[in-house]
Amino acid sequence: MSSVREICLNAKKAAFSFAATTNKERNLMLECIAQALIASKKDIFEANEKDIEEAKSSLSSAMIDRLTLNDSRLNTMIEGVKQVAKLADPIGEITDSWKTKNGLKFTKVRVPLGTIGVIYESRPNVTIDVAALCIKSGNCVVLRGGKEAINSNRKLYEIMQNALESNGFDKNVVNFIDDITRESSLELLKQGDCVDVVIPRGGDGLKHFVLENATMPVIASAGGVCHTYIHESANMGIAEKVVYNAKMSRPSTCNALEQLIIDRKVANKLPLILLPLIMDGCKINGSQEVCDIISAATLCDEAEYKKEHSDYILTVSIVDNYMQAIDQINNNNTKHSDAIIAQDKDVIDIFKKKVDSGCVYVNTSTRFTDGFQFGFGAEIGISTQKLHARGPLGLKQLTSEKYIIDGMGQIRE
């Protein structure tokens, strides 16, 4: 097994030549990977089953669901690779150009970042999503997945590498750290001379570990403490449908609803909204006021308002007005995805402007924060910072810009 240093050096070496590839070549690479995944479904499911069996003794049902691959999810992964191939090529795009008085022509051109390191947790689909986006955007990638999905990730990497090598492409475009110890992540973060940027994709613990130890720039992609606020003007039919979807469709994902806020004037509608969740196994936490309305709710303290449950658990709070709700969201969110259910256009406008989040939703579910849903084909993560990108990270977010200056012998006086 190659050392982390060797893997990163190989990726860096490959990045220089890979940056000069054409869109047609990169699309062909993606098509080869898609076909290899289709041909290897049995092997992928067998590897994933090993991970699931090992996880049953230590992970919750929601987290096991996060880990699980089935026909539908694998087909979505494959379709994602194909969608990425169909997207417009960001590399070489001219974003600005001008001439100066001395005749110099300045052109600002979109280019790959170079080599991207990604440290991620238990979702094996990330292995494919990240690799596809990096290939399309002309970047080499070093993947370091979590221990829970090691068998699945290893198999998916082997399939991609074999597909690239057997079709005459440089296999070091996609790289994989097989060591699942904490030391391997730490070693990757020391490779600032080889890796141009690193992206953590997981919870707050992973984000802080990367930020504290990285010797290269970090695009922080962390967990989601996502809120939905129900204003007194809300259509309760919409509220009931959206809250159920945001919490119950896949509670282990970072875009799932964790914190529900409702105006006191319509708090009597909580049974309408929450009983369907309770009937389907969701636990409700809340203040004494919430517990008085929902007998099945459990009394909690304010620390619960900052929690990402990643499970069938929802924290509920009651506020006097929309400004209180906005303050509560901004004080407790992870700047990921937050929503308002309302019909009052003035309140909606204020909410959109004042809520500090990468994605702000109006009358719809936070579950749409996803590169596939945004039309990006996939995503490399959800950036919860403000530089250099925010929200789902697609192709353009994996590029930088450089200046090309053309002259005809001009010299500076």
Side-chain angles (χ1 to χ4, degrees):
M1 184 169 64
S2 298
S3 70
V4 172
R5 179 64 177 170
E6 290 171 330
I7 291 168
C8 293
L9 285 169
N10 288 337
K12 179 183 179 181
K13 183 179 179 181
F16 291 118
S17 57
F18 190 49
T21 55
T22 65
N23 183 47
K24 183 177 180 180
E25 289 171 318
R26 297 193 297 274
N27 287 343
L28 181 57
M29 293 169 76
L30 293 174
E31 182 58 32
C32 291
I33 287 172
Q35 293 305 316
L37 291 171
I38 293 170
S40 305
K41 283 188 175 183
K42 182 180 177 182
D43 293 338
I44 294 169
F45 290 141
E46 286 177 357
N48 186 240
E49 186 58 37
K50 291 180 184 178
D51 290 327
I52 293 169
E53 284 301 313
E54 292 174 10
K56 284 179 178 177
S57 62
S58 58
L59 296 183
S60 67
S61 59
M63 295 305 291
I64 289 174
D65 174 71
R66 187 184 180 108
L67 176 64
T68 301
L69 292 176
N70 53 33
D71 274 317
S72 174
R73 291 177 185 175
L74 184 54
N75 288 338
T76 298
M77 285 165 53
I78 295 166
E79 182 58 31
V81 175
K82 293 180 177 181
Q83 275 197 23
V84 169
K86 293 176 183 177
L87 294 173
D89 180 17
I91 303 305
E93 176 189 351
I94 296 173
T95 58
D96 202 358
S97 65
W98 65 94
K99 282 187 177 180
T100 52
K101 290 180 180 179
N102 61 2
L104 289 176
K105 180 182 178 183
F106 290 76
T107 308
K108 198 175 183 182
V109 182
R110 199 175 294 282
V111 296
L113 290 173
T115 299
I116 300 174
V118 184
I119 302 176
Y120 54 106
E121 293 178 343
S122 59
R123 292 175 63 188
N125 66 290
V126 175
T127 301
I128 300 299
D129 292 350
V130 166
L133 286 169
C134 286
I135 288 171
K136 178 71 177 187
S137 57
N139 293 289
C140 290
V141 65
V142 178
L143 300 160
R144 198 287 186 186
K147 63 181 180 180
E148 297 87 356
I150 183 59
N151 294 295
S152 305
N153 290 337
R154 183 186 294 129
K155 179 55 64 177
L156 292 169
Y157 163 69
E158 288 172 355
I159 291 166
M160 286 192 291
Q161 189 176 59
N162 290 337
L164 294 175
E165 192 171 25
S166 63
N167 285 279
F169 298 110
D170 188 343
K171 66 179 183 180
N172 291 317
V173 165
V174 179
N175 305 272
F176 181 73
I177 296 172
D178 204 284
D179 183 350
I180 55 175
T181 64
R182 186 179 179 87
E183 286 70 27
S184 69
S185 292
L186 192 58
E187 186 64 22
L188 171 57
L189 296 174
K190 293 177 181 177
Q191 308 304 315
D193 62 332
C194 298
V195 177
D196 295 287
V197 64
V198 66
I199 301 172
R201 181 163 171 170
D204 267 357
L206 174 61
K207 180 184 79 171
H208 291 303
F209 170 75
V210 171
L211 287 170
E212 289 166 8
N213 293 284
T215 56
M216 67 286 286
V218 178
I219 302 178
S221 178
V225 179
C226 301
H227 295 74
T228 294
Y229 163 54
I230 302 174
H231 183 250
E232 62 180 89
S233 70
N235 178 314
M236 291 301 160
I238 291 175
E240 180 184 2
K241 180 172 64 174
V242 167
V243 169
Y244 187 92
N245 175 265
K247 178 72 256 184
M248 303 299 285
S249 59
R250 281 196 78 186
S252 62
T253 59
C254 62
N255 55 25
L257 171 63
E258 303 290 14
Q259 306 288 335
L260 179 67
I261 303 172
I262 189 167
D263 274 344
R264 181 164 281 105
K265 288 182 180 179
V266 289
N268 63 333
K269 300 295 184 181
L270 278 174
L272 169 74
I273 294 163
L274 296 180
L275 286 179
L277 283 71
I278 295 169
M279 293 286 289
D280 286 342
C282 185
K283 296 178 181 178
I284 305 299
N285 295 326
S287 64
Q288 185 59 58
E289 190 175 2
V290 171
C291 294
D292 290 343
I293 299 169
I294 303 294
S295 60
T298 300
L299 184 64
C300 70
D301 58 29
E302 289 193 6
E304 287 288 316
Y305 297 160
K306 291 183 178 290
K307 282 191 177 179
E308 181 181 16
H309 303 296
S310 299
D311 206 342
Y312 291 100
I313 302 170
L314 179 65
T315 302
V316 182
S317 55
I318 298 172
V319 294
D320 291 328
N321 53 57
Y322 67 89
M323 289 306 298
Q324 244 185 48
I326 291 169
D327 287 343
Q328 184 169 318
I329 291 170
N330 286 338
N331 288 333
N332 295 296
N333 71 355
T334 50
K335 308 187 188 305
H336 190 293
S337 302
D338 297 295
I340 182 172
I341 311 297
Q343 297 299 310
D344 187 318
K345 292 182 179 179
D346 291 335
V347 171
I348 290 170
D349 188 52
I350 293 169
F351 187 91
K352 288 191 289 187
K353 290 175 179 176
K354 289 197 170 186
V355 168
D356 186 12
S357 189
C359 300
V360 176
Y361 291 89
V362 178
N363 292 319
T364 190
S365 171
T366 57
R367 288 279 288 114
F368 286 105
T369 302
D370 174 272
F372 192 86
Q373 296 294 330
F374 272 47
F376 297 168
E379 92 218 1
I380 203 167
I382 309 292
S383 174
T384 52
Q385 64 184 39
K386 298 181 181 180
L387 296 174
H388 94 121
R390 200 173 190 192
L393 301 171
L395 292 177
K396 285 191 176 181
Q397 290 76 29
L398 300 182
T399 66
S400 181
E401 293 171 309
K402 70 179 177 183
Y403 294 96
I404 306 297
I405 301 94
D406 290 304
M408 297 176 292
Q410 292 94 328
I411 59 172
R412 182 168 177 174
E413 298 297 334

